[in-house]
Amino acid sequence: MDFTARMVMLRSLPFFGGLPEERLSRLARGAQVAEHAPGSLIAARDQAADAFHLVAAGQVKIYRMGPDGREQTLYVLGQGEPFCLCSLVDTGEYPAYAAALTQTRVLTFPAASLAEAARQDPEVLFDLLRLMCRRLKDAMAMIEMLALRDLPSRVAGFLLHEANRPPVRDKVRLSISQRELAKIVGATPEALSRALRRLEQAGLITARGRDVDILDRDGLAREAGLGPDGE
């Protein structure tokens, strides 16, 4: 990806699009571009947090590893989404792992470059705070879901979350495999399959691979322990 392509991408992203051309140019020049094969590690917990990253193409999962080696997926990020943003305010180690889910292109920026942009343009700080607040809310919701609900309820909550992404719809095309979905909801692939069958038998959904049709949104919300609007 040459300099012009990096500039076009940065301009297209709400996170960077409001910056003046001079600062965008500085960011683009300082960025490194890397291709990552599916499953390859991009950032690890024991690495120094001296850079942040942006998904240029593909998908990246952010996850933690338990003492027994099991993964807990925290986020799945797509094109245009930044990650490892803690490097802007904390020079310690990354708090989680990041790995490519698909063939993925990542832009990597020195943390100091965005910190400089934030000092010169406070609006960048507000964008950063909004993003971090959203991810904190997502993390808190996941903790509640994993700790307080049984597996079918967790799966129902995840499906509603996906269905409520704009535009709201009753057909969900999962962007990840069921194996990766199992890591998000804290289950084995076999247990996830049983939970999906239970939701189907209850007449709430039909599932075919990555395609899920929501047949009874209110019933799915009740199963998830949510209100009719999914909240």
Side-chain angles (χ1 to χ4, degrees):
M1 179 182 288
D2 60 19
F3 172 77
T4 300
R6 295 181 212 173
M7 284 291 289
V8 169
M9 168 160 284
L10 292 179
R11 284 195 204 101
S12 71
L13 302 175
F15 192 70
F16 295 116
L19 288 177
E21 286 291 297
E22 179 183 349
R23 291 176 200 158
L24 274 180
S25 176
R26 198 174 304 135
L27 281 172
R29 287 195 179 92
Q32 296 180 338
V33 183
E35 295 284 342
H36 298 272
S40 62
L41 196 63
I42 300 170
R45 287 193 67 188
D46 56 358
Q47 291 180 341
D50 57 2
F52 73 99
H53 309 277
L54 181 76
V55 183
Q59 286 184 307
V60 170
K61 67 174 179 179
I62 309 299
Y63 65 98
R64 297 288 296 265
M65 294 282 288
D68 58 358
R70 286 191 300 173
E71 292 182 15
Q72 174 62 60
T73 299
L74 305 174
Y75 306 103
V76 175
L77 307 176
Q79 182 175 0
E81 294 192 87
F83 60 101
C84 294
L85 290 170
C86 59
S87 63
L88 302 179
V89 293
D90 185 355
T91 56
E93 298 177 347
Y94 289 126
Y97 296 89
L101 277 176
T102 62
Q103 186 66 32
T104 299
R105 181 180 301 122
V106 172
L107 296 179
T108 298
F109 304 84
S113 62
L114 187 54
E116 178 188 1
R119 283 193 295 270
Q120 296 177 357
D121 189 345
E123 189 62 31
V124 174
L125 286 176
F126 286 105
D127 289 341
L128 178 61
L129 281 172
R130 279 191 285 267
L131 177 61
M132 288 187 161
C133 285
R134 189 186 78 213
R135 290 191 180 168
L136 177 60
K137 289 179 180 179
D138 287 345
M140 295 300 290
M142 175 173 288
I143 290 170
E144 178 186 2
M145 179 179 72
L146 291 174
L148 303 178
R149 300 176 186 169
D150 63 14
L151 181 56
S153 295
R154 300 200 297 268
V155 175
F158 178 86
L159 293 175
L160 280 175
H161 179 271
E162 292 298 294
N164 286 336
R165 290 175 181 266
V168 176
R169 60 208 185 281
D170 288 328
K171 292 181 181 291
V172 175
R173 171 69 176 173
L174 298 176
S175 62
I176 55 175
S177 67
Q178 288 196 11
R179 180 171 295 276
E180 290 299 330
L181 174 55
K183 294 175 184 177
I184 292 177
V185 297
T188 64
E190 295 76 17
L192 173 62
S193 294
R194 290 194 295 270
L196 288 169
R197 283 199 299 272
R198 175 173 153 179
L199 296 177
E200 285 191 288
Q201 290 166 358
L204 303 178
I205 66 168
T206 57
R208 298 176 303 281
R210 295 193 181 191
D211 293 314
V212 179
D213 290 342
I214 296 177
L215 307 178
D216 182 352
R217 183 179 287 268
D218 289 346
L220 198 63
R222 287 192 295 273
E223 176 67 39
L226 304 172
D229 58 356
E231 298 294 336

